[in-house]
Amino acid sequence: MEKFEVIIVGGGLAGLAAAYTLANEGIEALVIERGDYPGSKNVTGGRIYLNPVRQYFPEGFFEKAPLERPVTSEVFTMMAEDSSTSLRFRCGSWAEPPHQSYTILRGKFDRWLGERAAAAGAMMVTKNRVDDLVWDEGKVAGVTAGGEILGAEVVLACDGALSLVAEKAKLRKPGRPKDYAVGFKEVIELPRQKIEDRFNLAEGEGAAQFFMGSLTGGRFGGGFLYTNQESLSLGMVVGIGDLMEKQPFTEAPRLLEEFKRRPEVAALIQGGELVEYSAHVIPEAGYEGLTRVYGDRLLVAGDAAGFALNLGVTVRGMEFALASGVIAARAVKQAFEKKDFSVGSLSKYGQLLKESFVLKDMETFRAAPEVLDNPRFFNHYPQLMGKILQDLLTIGDGPKEKLSSTVLSHLGVGEFAGIVKDLWKGREM
Ligand SMILES: Cc1cc2nc3c(=O)[nH]c(=O)nc-3n(C[C@H](O)[C@H](O)[C@H](O)COP(=O)(O)OP(=O)(O)OC[C@H]3O[C@@H](n4cnc5c(N)ncnc54)[C@H](O)[C@@H]3O)c2cc1C
């Protein structure tokens, strides 16, 4: 049996960040990736927040990365059947370097990160799927991939949201549909100038847009649109539990087609060429759904551990994946120094995570999945907002009511009580 110091399952952000860090520490790291190249199978909406992760990489590391556009403006849109209400926010300081967030395309970004890891000395095997863990006296001793058995002192499970490795190691139970969402996305090519004109952007700047409401038919989720250099990333995220349960049953790709036909979206993508379609699962269970992240000779990082946080206004997973990959590598380095790969020794990873923004943010927003699991956000409020604004802004053929009377006519006691209740619950976030 061929043996390596560390085997990393999955060449996504978590796996590649771990490989890069280990290789720089002189530790032998083999990444096994099932895709043709790192990033070939990876899906994201696509905006990465760099501020939390810069500290985990050498200075200037991300300046050389294939980033698309720094996000300088955000648009939040509540969609009703026949109307929509948008809020646009532009932030001057976001336009100044170091930019807080960038749009990215994973095909390019992961490939670049994979090259950095390889240049640092990590080994990469692509087009190979890890099928199982190898055990020796109850401890993880390696993996099987492509019919071969490969041994390792430590295995890092960085194999994404449906982590086979974490499940085989019994570090987590199979998830419930409610704990996941499915994301589906198109990349639509448009000329650079057209993007800047349509989205009201200065040269090189980028926009992020979120949509919620009738586009998901009252289901948990929403839509997103990010501007890349010469393309748009357009997609939707829908809770798998709601997709299965809510009637009438609709297939996710159909929701995306209807979303694209909405005038608010159709005008933005008009004339663009669809060049890529992808779909992927996203962990949505938050802090309560986290995987146990260490075992005997095994660590779990990124989506595989459940490190993803959807607050409705921000979607974060990529910086958790990068940081947890680096933190896992640091814990492994300490284990190598002690030559002790037991649970006790690798529990250092849990401690380092607790001290980092990864677990701190997951814990701060532990109530998010419960607060957001509220159909009124996805159905009622966008409709209510649309109705109030329509009545306020429509001039009919008769005399007009006072503006205050118009608003109050929509906010009866029951409505008011519902809003207060939802706001009260929202204080937990
Ligand atoms: C539609 C959508 C929109 C999103 N939007 C955002 C966003 O805007 N911002 C943000 O920060 N996050 C976003 N996320 C979440 C973010 O993409 C993830 O949190 C991030 O990709 C996690 O990285 P990872 O390395 O843990 O997992 P992944 O990127 O999933 O990488 C896992 C890797 O493991 C490989 N693999 C899996 N199983 C095996 C196996 N058995 N053998 C070998 N290789 C294997 C896969 O091919 C893949 O390369 C979004 C996700 C989706 C789906």
Side-chain angles (χ1 to χ4, degrees):
M1 167 169 84
E2 208 171 340
K3 193 159 179 187
F4 300 86
E5 288 183 326
V6 180
I7 288 180
I8 299 168
V9 185
L13 297 181
L16 296 173
Y20 174 79
T21 311
L22 285 168
N24 275 323
E25 293 292 348
I27 295 173
E28 189 182 53
L30 170 71
V31 179
I32 306 178
E33 164 58 42
R34 64 180 174 177
D36 291 353
Y37 56 88
S40 64
K41 287 212 176 276
N42 299 346
V43 186
T44 196
R47 179 244 295 264
I48 186 165
Y49 293 92
L50 285 185
N51 284 347
V53 286
R54 284 196 175 93
Q55 61 191 296
Y56 292 95
F57 292 85
E59 211 181 321
F61 186 74
F62 292 105
E63 258 97 89
K64 295 172 201 127
L67 304 163
E68 294 293 315
R69 288 173 184 262
V71 175
T72 55
S73 74
E74 311 239 6
V75 180
F76 301 95
T77 300
M78 290 207 286
M79 279 184 163
E81 292 298 337
D82 182 40
S83 65
S84 62
T85 312
S86 295
L87 172 76
R88 183 170 201 261
F89 176 72
R90 185 183 188 282
C91 186
S93 63
W94 290 358
E96 303 297 328
H99 301 287
Q100 78 138 354
S101 73
Y102 285 85
T103 56
I104 65 166
L105 291 165
R106 293 289 296 276
K108 286 193 215 169
F109 188 87
D110 290 22
R111 204 169 196 167
W112 168 83
L113 188 56
E115 285 163 9
R116 297 282 75 73
M123 293 168 279
M124 198 89 57
V125 175
T126 55
K127 301 182 199 171
N128 263 278
R129 206 187 113 94
V130 168
D131 299 311
D132 212 341
L133 285 170
V134 175
W135 297 88
D136 183 20
E137 295 179 3
K139 294 173 188 156
V140 173
V143 301
T144 58
E148 273 185 65
I149 296 178
L150 303 169
E153 297 290 6
V154 180
V155 172
L156 296 191
C158 302
D159 48 345
L162 298 175
S163 178
L164 171 105
V165 176
E167 214 169 299
K168 293 260 181 198
K170 298 202 168 34
L171 292 183
R172 67 169 200 175
K173 298 186 197 108
R176 303 164 300 168
K178 191 176 172 348
D179 297 334
Y180 296 97
V182 60
F184 31 100
K185 164 184 163 181
E186 292 184 358
V187 177
I188 299 169
E189 270 183 5
L190 264 187
R192 185 182 295 260
Q193 191 59 52
K194 231 174 206 158
I195 292 178
E196 289 165 4
D197 292 345
R198 274 185 199 179
F199 290 85
N200 198 13
L201 296 169
E203 192 183 344
E205 290 187 1
Q209 299 205 7
F210 290 102
F211 304 81
M212 63 186 287
S214 60
L215 70 153
T216 55
R219 296 166 184 86
F220 172 89
F224 59 82
L225 198 164
Y226 296 100
T227 58
N228 304 311
Q229 284 187 27
E230 295 190 313
S231 65
L232 305 176
S233 294
L234 175 76
M236 288 182 70
V237 172
V238 189
I240 294 181
D242 276 4
L243 255 186
M244 290 165 71
E245 284 162 20
K246 285 244 158 87
Q247 296 299 327
F249 175 75
T250 315
E251 284 179 357
R254 212 174 120 200
L255 290 174
L256 183 59
E257 282 313 310
E258 286 167 9
F259 176 50
K260 282 169 66 183
R261 281 201 290 273
R262 286 288 300 230
E264 299 89 338
V265 177
L268 297 174
I269 60 173
Q270 193 188 7
E273 190 189 342
L274 173 64
V275 291
E276 197 182 304
Y277 178 86
S278 52
H280 208 275
V281 167
I282 311 174
E284 291 282 356
Y287 188 81
E288 306 301 338
L290 292 181
T291 302
R292 227 186 96 208
V293 291
Y294 52 88
D296 236 326
R297 295 177 177 259
L298 178 71
L299 295 179
V300 189
D303 270 14
F307 296 142
L309 202 50
N310 176 0
L311 300 185
V313 288
T314 53
V315 178
R316 300 170 58 192
M318 289 193 278
E319 78 263 30
F320 292 140
L322 285 169
S324 60
V326 172
I327 295 168
R330 289 178 181 172
V332 168
K333 187 195 166 225
Q334 294 190 17
F336 268 93
E337 282 165 0
K338 291 186 282 176
K339 294 198 172 34
D340 177 359
F341 308 105
S342 65
V343 191
S345 167
L346 291 180
S347 67
K348 181 77 189 172
Y349 175 46
Q351 186 196 325
L352 293 175
L353 279 173
K354 266 191 197 148
E355 291 163 10
S356 75
F357 78 94
V358 177
L359 267 187
K360 285 188 175 153
D361 285 1
M362 292 298 301
E363 195 168 5
T364 300
F365 298 104
R366 67 191 304 160
E370 210 192 316
V371 172
L372 292 178
D373 187 18
N374 178 350
R376 287 165 63 85
F377 291 137
F378 307 105
N379 204 351
H380 183 68
Y381 289 125
Q383 295 285 357
L384 179 67
M385 192 62 133
K387 277 188 203 152
I388 293 177
L389 285 171
Q390 188 180 356
D391 287 353
L392 278 177
L393 304 175
T394 301
I395 306 295
D397 50 10
K400 189 145 179 72
E401 244 189 346
K402 272 188 174 175
L403 299 184
S404 54
S405 307
T406 307
V407 174
L408 288 174
S409 70
H410 290 281
L411 300 177
V413 179
E415 185 65 68
F416 198 70
I419 294 173
V420 170
K421 194 172 153 208
D422 290 339
L423 283 176
W424 181 249
K425 199 156 181 33
R427 83 194 188 289
E428 289 169 25
M429 261 171 69

